[in-house]
Amino acid sequence: MSQSCRTPEGGRVDRAKPIRFTFDGKSYQGCVGDTLASALLANGVHLVGRSFKYHRPRGIVAAGSEEPNALVQVEMGGGRSDPNTRATVVELFDGLNAESQNRNPSLERDVGAVNDALSPLFPAGFYYKTFKWPASAWHKVYEPRIREAAGLGKAPTEGDPDRYLHRHVHCEVLVVGAGPAGLAAALAAGRSGARVILVDENPELGGSLLMESGTLGRVEPGNLAFARRAAADLAAMPEVRVLTRTTLTGYYDYNYLTALERVTDHLPPGSGPDLPRQRLWRIRARRVVIATGAIERPLVFVGNDRPGVMLASAGRAYLNRWGVLPGRDVLVFTNNDSAYAAAIDLARAGAKVTLADVRPHAGALASEAEAAGVALRPRTVVVDTDGRLRVQRAYLSEIDGEGRIVGALGQPLPCDCLLMSGGWNPNVSLHSQARGLLVFDDSLAAFVPGEAPQPNVSVGACNGDLSFKGALEGGAEAGRLAAGAEAKPGEAFGANEPEAAPLLPLWLVPSDREGLRAKAFVDFQNDVTAKDLGVALTEGLRSIEHIKRFTTTGMGTDQGKTSNVNALAIVAAKLNTSVPAVGTTTFRQPYVPATFGAMVGHSKGPLFDVVRKTPIHDWAEAEGAVFEDVGTWKRAWYFPKAGEDMHAAVRRECKAVRETCGLFDASTLGKIDVQGPDARAFLNRIYTNAWMKLPVGQCRYGLMLRDDGMVMDDGVTACLKDDRFHMTTTTGGAPRVLAWLEEWLQTEWPDLKVYCTSVTEEWATMALNGPNAREVLAPLVEGIDMDADAFPHMHWRSGKVAGVPARIFRISFTGETGFEVNVPAGYGRHVWGAIWASGQKHGIVAYGTETMHVLRAEKGYVIVGQDTDGTVTPHDLGMSWIVKKQGDFVGRRGLERPDLKRDDRKQLVGLLTEDPDLVLDEGAQIVADPSEPVPMTMIGHVTSSYDSPDLGRSFALALVAGGKTRKGQTLHVPQLDGSVAAVSVVDPVFLDPEGKRLHG
Amino acid sequence: MQRYSIFSIARNALTNHKNWHTAWRSPEPKPAYDVVVVGAGGHGLGTAYYLAKEHGITNVAVLEKGWLGGGNTGRNTTIIRSNYLYDESAKLYDHSVKLWEGLTGELNYNVMFSPRGVMMLAHNVHDVQVFKRHVYANRLNGVDNEWLTAEQAKAFCPPLSIDPGARYPVVGAALQRRGGTARHDAVAWGYARGADARGVDVIQNCEVTGIDVEGGRVTGVQTTRGAIRAKKVAIVAAGHTSVLCTMAGFRMPLESVPLQALVSEPMKPVFPCVVMSNAVHAYLSQSDKGELVIGAGTDQYVSYSQRGGVQILEHTLEAILELFPIFSRCRMLRQWGGIVDVTPDRSPIIGRTPVENLFVNCGWGTGGFKATPGSAHVFAHTVAKGEPHPINAPYTLDRFKTGRLIDEAAAAAVAH
């Protein structure tokens, strides 16, 4: 059998179902139920990666998501490439292909390992002290090499073929973790009838029970069966939702939490049903029961990072849960009782086991261990290890009651696996993310949850109660309370737990190996040693945040799950203070790294920012229109005929509008229905001009200012009734304007009775412009006298167009006679078609936004956001006429400030280039003296610039300092190619300054 | 000050790195100082450094309620550029970039300034107008900024998607090659070390609880570690400036809002530059450690909580994947927030206040890191001389009364 380290029986893998997988190009066999880590260990593979900084050979340390070392790149092809994946959480499937990371050329022989040899030159923070000379060499020489050496996995090079989804759910009780405490809580809450969600990282429920052998002291036989019974009971409760393979990633304010479910990651790609790869659950919970267990601490001793050195609980889990013997010659090194269970189980499974305990006496398990054949070595520590690619030997020394080495130094003991246990850290991450306080528990030598500001409770091991009985009883009570049920004495659970002896904290194992290269690792992934922490302290750093950032401890992909408390305690010891006095760094979301794609869900591609299309869009598309993005809209930009480029199309469209008529889709303009008894007064305050006397049936152009007096938006508003107005805004400004109106109404003028409703998408708006506009439209109109005198400019009428109820606004943004036909959006396409048909004999054209821009610029009509930029007043635009003399409005006080009244402000002018064929870049800067050296004095910039078929030349609008007084002056526009274009300043109205065409 | 170099590392290696000098002391506050700087971020520490170095004022304390560099200095996405539109801004930010270029040598501390180029993407006609306006103005101001086609942008940043079928396709870009990134912690630490060596007391865990004003003139501060008298007080406290100024009896035109950022897991080099996109609200670079560093937008609501809304972050990632679909399977490693102080014109306030001898340097909004050395340099001048350096003369508190704004937010304009 190829799985040389697989036990003949036991564990939760299916030996009858062998599957193939590949690691670093070599094919192996594993079993259904394996993780990649357990399958590699079953094949005797401990070496799985290289460390971040020193490129030291590294193995598997843990058995869960806290794994610091065993990061691999899962490469399934077709864009499915996942760097930095923890081998301990990858469920094995047939054909899985993984590669090791951060090595060149191979795991066994990695040139980066030279860093290890040179490590005396790479103390913590070395890069702040060197690579400084010469100045340009950092970016050009040193940094690229450092970047190349850093990083771990490789980013994917192709798009992601998989799908991700979001679910939004509410519940009364959310239980996090399905170990004994979480199961008891979920059962109790579920029995009360509450809506309960139970989430757990693992594929099956049970948590720590899954690694129990069921055959020794800590847990009675049958307690794994408890997990199975609980799972069945929960499945039968209709209000309980159980999510396995789901990690609670974020705990935010107001009991809002996110959980990441790995839906199909455990299946070969493309083999399962059509399901998303991952699902992000967004959960709003009334109460949260945190039952996330505890994470075992490594011991910090010299040589503690060799492949084959792992957490005692992990060694036990690999044996009991996955049927893997992690070594045949096992040394267990502990400062507490929990590791005895691992020693006993491994000895019973046939391994030769020695147990070194830093304490003089252990608890009741000691005699059971001896009976199982474990050689006990009290008051003994590991001072060093050997073995290049896997641990081969440990060196043991005895210590006295003060923790000092006594007697013979470093007695060698051969071993192929070293299991360590430095005690347990309650997993307080979620409690802390929820902004709960932490308190230090001396008996556990660990932080436990303190006060919780949000409605949650921690139970079981994550609350510092490591007993099975406590987990079950505490969990059940918490579940009942969280569900709002009455607390009553819990059912008696069978738990006959052996008496434990207290843990003896030994944060930094003493060693005689004080040489330059002796390394006792605190953070495995980032290669932070106890000595590095010492360097930080030597340099005067005291805040744990500084020490963290300077040494990078706890900053790896595991975020210090196994290392942080050790680091704090070592710092505390070196500073001769207490661990709580050093404090903790912040626990940040997410609990485990979360896939970007899952956080984005379906909001990508066309759904990233949903495209808004007008009712006329399909027609325009069929006509070959080219579209531009304006806000979230797609607007028809121009309508090229065969062989036409943009320039030619726009020239043709412009000519047609001036000579006969053109039809323009204006549906994207923002439309806001403003009504209520105070609507008129409201408009009078929001716009700069007067609105109190606008009669029903008329329209008025309005300019809206921000409170600083700068132009914010504009549009035509029609008086529908005395208390009802139809406001239009710019396309991109519509949401901003509505929010602006609401802000004033809700926060400043709550006394006004006004209601604003966005009706942008209720209406299709078609602008028909040109000398023949009336002739085209009139035959389609019922109920409106279309005569120029009966229906003058800046009026609106209600009637029917092409049989459809319509509002027609006689307004124009081209300078031609214009009608804007508004019909309910659903009729838009019909009415457009009717106008189009009616216009055929007049040579009607459809025109896009570019032509609209040219036509309005010829008339000197500004576009807010193009000819203005938030620093422009109405006076700057030459629109003082629109600012009322009497009465207040938003922006009046801003306009009164001295700087806004200066004569030399930038003002709107027209520009004509000396070369009539030169179309200036919009955004080009204007200078008075082209020979001035850089930095030059810029006096303005081009805001709009086009070629005009009517003018037979190019023209531009610009904002120029003191522009009103510069008419006739020659100014200069330096070009990007170094040349300079001369321009003359003219009036910004290039066509029909008297406005005769409007009234035709 | 102990000089740092490869030789000092080698020497210290021989003694197992046990003989390094402290980078800065942890002194007790003295009863009085010539200048008290409130806030030990990059701007505050830099101010103290230049006060000592350029103006010979060494009887200076920098007071910090937490740990130095722990506010926005240690929380930002480290982007450095100077391609701002207005003359006033170009002068200020380019002054800063020039100081960045020599800062590692100046401080004998590697701040890892990396001019790898900052590229701002244009996605529509309006973006093109705005960015071209910047390019034109920058060039005439002597600030490098060049216009790229979409294809040139892709060549500069290969992971970029310029798929014309994208929701917001890239149609061009403005590139400032002198822009880039630096190591944020190193900036704070380098200034702290340099200031400390010149006699400045950097006092951490010392929160200012009151500002003493007598007859319109500042006389000192109250702190959690006792009263400290001061001839001059300089507030450089970002999001909490408005709180401090209220203590001194005047209101500031500032709003404080959370701004978030996140990093991915570390990966081998894949992203060579800094990319920003205003249209889709995202900016991205890759740190030397290999993490993708991603900045999000601000929350819509004011807050002093150093944590923003989840949806803001998700929207940012949507934008990132829109531009860089290859990062979909990468993972977010950590997220965090900071509090930024925003002025009505999105430009900072650097100068005097209504209280004599009380100065502020604030309002940097989302973009203060890039300005750190320049801001500190001109602010030190302002505090030392009692009047502004020509570069920060326009950045008065008074401008919100006169209307002489430096409206960079408006300059970015908005879609019409």
Side-chain angles (χ1 to χ4, degrees):
Chain A
M1 174 168 160
S2 64
Q3 300 174 54
S4 60
C5 299
R6 185 75 73 184
T7 58
E9 57 185 24
R12 308 187 54 70
V13 292
D14 190 346
R15 289 176 180 72
K17 289 187 186 156
I19 46 182
R20 306 297 310 181
F21 70 100
T22 309
F23 179 64
D24 273 351
K26 192 171 166 195
S27 178
Y28 297 94
Q29 196 182 70
C31 295
V32 168
D34 262 326
T35 63
L36 175 59
S38 71
L40 285 166
L41 291 171
N43 287 280
V45 176
H46 278 258
L47 172 66
V48 295
R50 288 275 175 168
S51 65
F52 194 89
K53 182 171 163 189
Y54 300 133
H55 288 245
R56 284 170 68 100
R58 289 288 166 78
I60 296 156
V61 171
S65 62
E66 69 275 22
E67 172 63 38
N69 267 350
L71 304 182
V72 299
Q73 184 117 14
V74 175
E75 282 286 359
M76 297 308 300
R80 293 187 172 88
S81 174
D82 300 310
N84 304 327
T85 306
R86 287 149 292 156
T88 51
V89 298
V90 174
E91 291 178 56
L92 204 67
F93 55 79
D94 199 37
L96 178 79
N97 178 43
E99 289 168 10
S100 58
Q101 303 184 151
N102 205 33
R103 82 291 189 268
N104 177 26
S106 72
L107 262 186
E108 288 74 19
R109 306 199 171 278
D110 174 16
V111 296
V114 67
N115 289 358
D116 197 27
L118 296 174
S119 63
L121 295 178
F122 302 140
F126 71 98
Y127 29 70
Y128 300 121
K129 298 190 173 80
T130 183
F131 307 128
K132 302 192 303 300
W133 187 89
S136 62
W138 167 255
H139 173 55
K140 294 195 175 122
V141 181
Y142 305 123
E143 186 182 42
R145 297 203 160 80
I146 287 175
R147 284 166 77 87
E148 204 56 56
L152 286 168
K154 295 182 186 123
T157 53
E158 297 172 61
D160 186 349
D162 286 325
R163 288 191 302 128
Y164 303 86
L165 287 181
H166 286 177
R167 289 288 300 272
H168 300 251
V169 287
H170 289 75
C171 63
E172 269 105 37
V173 182
L174 170 66
V175 181
V176 188
L183 286 173
L187 281 171
R191 282 184 187 126
S192 76
R195 278 182 304 167
V196 177
I197 297 175
L198 172 64
V199 302
D200 189 273
E201 286 195 317
N202 285 285
E204 60 180 322
L205 304 184
S208 63
L209 298 172
L210 296 173
M211 71 169 187
E212 298 290 351
S213 55
T215 57
L216 59 95
R218 185 165 178 260
V219 179
E220 285 216 324
N223 278 339
L224 182 53
F226 160 76
R228 277 176 227 151
R229 267 202 322 274
D233 288 353
L234 290 169
M237 295 179 188
E239 295 296 329
V240 175
R241 187 197 296 270
V242 176
L243 297 172
T244 53
R245 298 191 173 95
T246 304
T247 307
L248 204 298
T249 48
Y251 197 143
Y252 300 91
D253 294 338
Y254 304 102
N255 261 12
Y256 181 71
L257 302 97
T258 54
L260 185 61
E261 181 186 9
R262 297 176 303 281
V263 183
T264 56
D265 271 350
H266 62 293
L267 302 172
S271 71
D274 184 24
L275 289 169
R277 177 185 175 217
Q278 296 176 349
R279 199 180 272 139
L280 187 73
W281 293 79
R282 287 119 77 93
I283 305 166
R284 185 78 71 175
R286 194 166 70 193
R287 291 189 167 275
V288 178
V289 177
I290 303 173
T292 46
I295 294 174
E296 196 167 21
R297 284 196 294 258
L299 284 164
V300 182
F301 57 94
V302 174
N304 64 345
D305 70 323
R306 294 189 196 282
V309 180
M310 59 173 65
L311 294 169
S313 58
R316 187 160 180 251
Y318 286 116
L319 176 66
N320 291 332
R321 183 170 167 191
W322 287 288
V324 172
L325 201 57
R328 295 180 199 287
D329 241 330
V330 179
L331 171 62
V332 179
F333 179 24
T334 185
N335 67 353
N336 69 90
D337 274 9
S338 70
Y340 280 73
I344 293 165
D345 286 351
L346 283 159
R348 287 185 180 155
K352 180 171 172 246
V353 183
T354 304
L355 187 148
D357 193 329
V358 303
R359 303 169 301 174
H361 307 289
L365 281 176
S367 52
E368 199 174 339
E370 279 195 298
V374 176
L376 294 186
R377 303 279 297 268
R379 273 197 176 161
T380 300
V381 297
V382 178
V383 295
D384 199 358
T385 63
D386 254 349
R388 192 172 82 87
L389 300 178
R390 179 166 173 184
V391 65
Q392 286 177 337
R393 200 174 294 111
Y395 297 90
L396 303 180
S397 289
E398 292 191 11
I399 56 169
D400 64 13
E402 308 292 309
R404 288 179 304 230
I405 296 173
V406 292
L409 282 178
Q411 299 302 303
L413 178 80
C415 62
D416 60 0
C417 176
L418 198 167
L419 301 182
M420 56 187 168
S421 177
W424 293 81
N425 288 330
N427 192 351
V428 295
S429 180
L430 293 181
H431 168 83
S432 188
Q433 280 187 24
R435 308 235 154 150
L437 302 177
L438 298 177
V439 292
F440 195 74
D441 180 318
D442 284 317
S443 67
L444 284 173
F447 286 97
V448 295
E451 195 186 328
Q454 298 204 47
N456 66 45
V457 60
S458 295
V459 292
C462 74
N463 194 35
D465 188 344
L466 299 177
S467 77
F468 181 62
K469 187 167 189 285
L472 290 176
E473 292 179 356
E477 189 187 352
R480 270 191 302 275
L481 287 174
E486 280 196 18
K488 51 187 177 190
E491 49 192 291
F493 289 99
N496 173 23
E497 292 173 80
E499 191 193 335
L503 162 149
L504 177 66
L506 183 65
W507 301 110
L508 178 55
V509 176
S511 172
D512 55 327
R513 314 292 158 105
E514 285 288 304
L516 283 174
R517 292 186 176 81
K519 295 190 185 75
F521 285 91
V522 177
D523 183 308
F524 294 113
Q525 189 180 116
N526 276 353
D527 276 339
V528 181
T529 64
K531 205 183 297 172
D532 288 320
L533 298 174
V535 170
L537 295 173
T538 303
E539 298 204 12
L541 304 184
R542 290 297 175 269
S543 162
I544 191 64
E545 292 282 359
H546 286 151
I547 294 164
K548 168 184 159 183
R549 285 157 177 259
F550 186 73
T551 63
T552 73
T553 190
M555 296 186 79
T557 63
D558 58 326
Q559 292 284 282
K561 289 185 177 60
T562 55
S563 64
N564 278 348
V565 174
N566 280 340
L568 298 176
I570 289 171
V571 166
K574 285 182 191 269
L575 290 176
N576 218 1
T577 182
S578 69
V579 178
V582 172
T584 59
T585 56
T586 310
F587 289 84
R588 301 201 181 280
Q589 298 93 347
Y591 175 67
V592 294
T595 317
F596 285 175
M599 298 191 64
V600 164
H602 58 250
S603 301
K604 59 180 192 178
L607 297 180
F608 161 58
D609 207 359
V610 176
V611 173
R612 297 170 83 190
K613 294 177 179 172
T614 75
I616 318 300
H617 184 92
D618 292 348
W619 183 92
E621 202 166 32
E623 287 290 308
V626 176
F627 293 87
E628 70 162 331
D629 287 305
V630 182
T632 46
W633 292 97
K634 292 283 180 195
R635 299 195 74 178
W637 195 5
Y638 56 98
F639 289 81
K641 303 264 186 223
E644 278 184 342
D645 60 4
M646 176 166 164
H647 185 241
V650 170
R651 282 186 76 88
R652 175 179 48 76
E653 292 170 17
C654 285
K655 263 175 90 69
V657 176
R658 293 274 183 242
E659 288 169 7
T660 167
C661 69
L663 188 56
F664 175 71
D665 180 9
S667 304
T668 63
L669 280 185
K671 302 175 218 39
I672 299 171
D673 185 90
V674 182
Q675 50 179 306
D678 297 316
R680 195 178 277 281
F682 177 59
L683 294 180
N684 208 47
R685 296 185 196 179
I686 283 291
Y687 282 124
T688 60
N689 48 351
W691 290 80
M692 297 312 285
K693 292 180 182 158
L694 180 70
V696 176
Q698 287 197 27
C699 309
R700 183 161 288 169
Y701 174 78
L703 211 50
M704 225 176 258
L705 308 188
R706 295 189 317 220
D707 38 7
D708 63 3
M710 302 303 176
V711 173
M712 168 185 164
D713 207 274
D714 70 343
V716 170
T717 293
C719 182
L720 303 180
K721 290 190 209 164
D722 197 44
D723 61 355
R724 187 170 181 195
F725 295 81
H726 176 95
M727 172 188 284
T728 65
T729 74
T730 58
T731 295
R736 192 171 51 246
V737 169
L738 183 61
W740 178 249
L741 301 182
E742 288 293 347
E743 185 181 337
W744 283 99
L745 283 173
Q746 292 178 29
T747 66
E748 304 294 332
W749 304 324
D751 53 308
L752 290 189
K753 281 191 173 30
V754 180
Y755 306 92
C756 300
T757 310
S758 168
V759 293
T760 302
E761 298 194 346
E762 311 310 312
W763 297 96
T765 304
M766 294 154 273
L768 183 63
N769 280 262
N772 289 324
R774 183 177 291 102
E775 283 68 31
V776 172
L777 187 59
L780 304 172
V781 174
E782 296 169 58
I784 302 173
D785 182 348
M786 293 294 286
D787 186 80
D789 297 328
F791 187 2
H793 186 57
M794 294 310 276
H795 284 241
W796 77 274
R797 297 288 180 265
S798 171
K800 280 188 173 179
V801 175
V804 173
R807 292 175 187 163
I808 304 178
F809 298 81
R810 196 175 157 197
I811 56 180
S812 168
F813 200 43
T814 59
E816 300 299 325
T817 300
F819 297 92
E820 266 186 26
V821 180
N822 284 265
V823 297
Y827 294 122
R829 178 66 188 80
H830 162 76
V831 174
W832 178 278
I835 298 173
W836 185 249
S838 170
Q840 288 309 307
K841 60 176 177 285
H842 297 283
I844 191 171
V845 298
Y847 65 97
T849 50
E850 186 66 16
T851 291
M852 179 267 281
H853 284 180
V854 177
L855 297 174
R856 63 89 204 173
E858 289 170 346
K859 284 287 297 176
Y861 296 153
V862 298
I863 289 185
V864 173
Q866 176 170 343
D867 302 295
T868 74
D869 62 3
T871 66
V872 179
T873 70
H875 307 299
D876 299 339
L877 293 174
M879 292 172 72
S880 302
W881 53 268
I882 205 169
V883 181
K884 60 192 165 213
K885 302 285 179 285
Q886 304 295 319
D888 210 355
F889 56 87
V890 175
R892 160 139 272 168
R893 209 154 44 136
L895 280 179
E896 294 301 317
R897 292 181 296 179
D899 198 68
L900 278 70
K901 296 181 145 179
R902 273 176 23 235
D903 291 335
D904 60 346
R905 290 181 59 81
K906 285 192 185 180
Q907 293 150 353
L908 186 76
V909 298
L911 293 183
L912 290 174
T913 46
E914 201 169 71
D915 171 4
D917 292 330
L918 176 65
V919 180
L920 296 166
D921 266 349
E922 286 157 352
Q925 297 288 323
I926 300 160
V927 300
D929 174 9
S931 59
E932 189 185 13
V934 168
M936 298 177 80
T937 308
M938 291 169 260
I939 58 170
H941 71 282
V942 176
T943 61
S944 295
S945 174
Y946 310 97
D947 178 61
S948 163
D950 288 297
L951 306 178
R953 57 157 300 139
S954 70
F955 73 106
L957 298 176
L959 288 167
V960 175
K964 283 176 193 165
T965 60
R966 288 185 189 267
K967 303 266 162 72
Q969 283 187 16
T970 297
L971 300 174
H972 303 275
V973 181
Q975 303 291 289
L976 292 182
D977 64 7
S979 65
V980 176
V983 296
S984 57
V985 180
V986 298
D987 191 85
V989 183
F990 294 87
L991 197 85
D992 186 24
E994 301 82 26
K996 286 182 191 150
R997 303 168 73 109
L998 273 178
H999 300 281
Chain B
M1 188 172 79
Q2 183 182 29
R3 297 290 297 176
Y4 289 159
S5 69
I6 183 67
F7 306 111
S8 71
I9 292 178
R11 259 197 315 279
N12 277 280
L14 298 177
T15 52
N16 218 357
H17 298 292
K18 287 184 174 166
N19 293 329
W20 286 107
H21 297 185
T22 56
W24 53 79
R25 298 162 295 131
S26 297
E28 287 300 313
K30 293 191 281 192
Y33 290 93
D34 290 341
V35 179
V36 162
V37 178
V38 183
H43 293 248
L45 292 164
T47 302
Y49 173 83
Y50 292 115
L51 277 173
K53 176 168 183 267
E54 310 254 314
H55 305 283
I57 302 173
T58 57
N59 185 22
V60 176
V62 186
L63 309 183
E64 169 56 50
K65 73 171 176 177
W67 39 286
L68 69 88
N72 294 343
T73 296
R75 292 166 187 269
N76 73 90
T77 52
T78 79
I79 296 171
I80 294 167
R81 63 185 177 88
S82 63
N83 52 353
Y84 282 72
L85 180 66
Y86 292 114
D87 301 347
E88 298 91 334
S89 313
K91 283 199 184 86
L92 176 60
Y93 290 100
D94 214 51
H95 179 57
S96 200
V97 167
K98 283 174 185 146
L99 289 173
W100 276 116
E101 286 163 351
L103 196 60
T104 288
E106 164 82 25
L107 297 177
N108 178 236
Y109 204 89
N110 189 353
V111 301
M112 305 182 196
F113 174 62
S114 174
R116 59 183 70 169
V118 174
M119 191 164 76
M120 303 168 88
L121 301 178
H123 296 273
N124 52 46
V125 174
H126 181 255
D127 282 352
V128 173
Q129 291 163 347
V130 170
F131 290 147
K132 281 205 172 163
R133 185 176 167 198
H134 279 70
V135 169
Y136 273 96
N138 291 155
R139 292 165 73 98
L140 299 189
N141 262 326
V143 174
D144 75 303
N145 195 8
E146 60 196 272
W147 179 251
L148 303 185
T149 63
E151 291 71 25
Q152 288 169 323
K154 168 93 180 160
F156 191 73
C157 181
L160 178 66
S161 165
I162 55 167
D163 178 2
R167 175 67 185 87
Y168 294 114
V170 175
V171 297
L175 170 65
Q176 185 176 30
R177 293 183 191 269
R178 282 164 67 229
T181 60
R183 171 93 186 109
H184 53 13
D185 288 333
V187 179
W189 300 348
Y191 275 127
R193 174 169 166 264
D196 178 271
R198 287 169 173 80
V200 171
D201 285 353
V202 181
I203 302 165
Q204 304 179 73
N205 301 308
C206 181
E207 182 174 355
V208 170
T209 54
I211 294 180
D212 301 329
V213 180
E214 283 170 30
R217 173 190 290 260
V218 75
T219 58
V221 294
Q222 301 292 321
T223 78
T224 49
R225 292 170 71 172
I228 301 173
R229 281 177 286 118
K231 292 179 185 153
K232 292 178 179 178
V233 174
I235 297 175
V236 201
H240 291 83
T241 301
S242 45
V243 178
L244 288 159
C245 289
T246 306
M247 292 175 192
F250 59 96
R251 287 182 70 193
M252 290 293 284
L254 293 172
E255 285 186 338
S256 293
V257 289
L259 176 69
Q260 298 179 79
L262 65 105
V263 293
S264 75
E265 297 179 317
M267 291 173 293
K268 292 293 177 191
V270 61
F271 202 80
C273 58
V274 181
V275 167
M276 311 175 68
S277 168
N278 293 343
V280 300
H281 303 126
Y283 40 107
L284 174 66
S285 65
Q286 187 178 21
S287 72
D288 287 343
K289 195 180 174 194
E291 296 163 337
L292 299 175
V293 182
I294 294 170
T298 51
D299 271 30
Q300 285 151 312
Y301 300 98
V302 294
S303 169
Y304 290 112
S305 158
Q306 283 178 322
R307 180 150 86 187
V310 189
Q311 79 285 358
I312 304 274
L313 217 55
E314 287 179 354
H315 179 71
T316 297
L317 284 171
E318 290 167 12
I320 292 291
L321 296 195
E322 177 70 7
L323 298 173
F324 308 101
I326 63 168
F327 294 142
S328 168
R329 296 175 85 91
C330 300
R331 304 187 191 97
M332 175 170 84
L333 176 55
R334 342 180 254 289
Q335 63 167 98
W336 64 91
I339 303 300
V340 299
D341 47 328
V342 180
T343 61
D345 67 358
R346 302 297 191 274
S347 286
I349 300 167
I350 315 169
R352 288 191 289 248
T353 70
V355 175
E356 201 173 336
N357 290 340
L358 178 64
F359 303 86
V360 289
N361 182 350
C362 64
W364 290 96
T366 61
F369 178 74
K370 65 175 72 71
T372 305
S375 149
H377 188 252
V378 298
F379 191 48
H381 177 105
T382 307
V383 173
K385 309 280 185 200
E387 59 187 39
H389 187 284
I391 287 178
N392 69 305
Y395 292 89
T396 61
L397 178 55
D398 198 39
R399 73 179 186 272
F400 301 101
K401 284 186 183 148
T402 64
R404 198 171 189 99
L405 305 181
I406 307 159
D407 203 335
E408 286 290 340
V414 282
H416 47 272

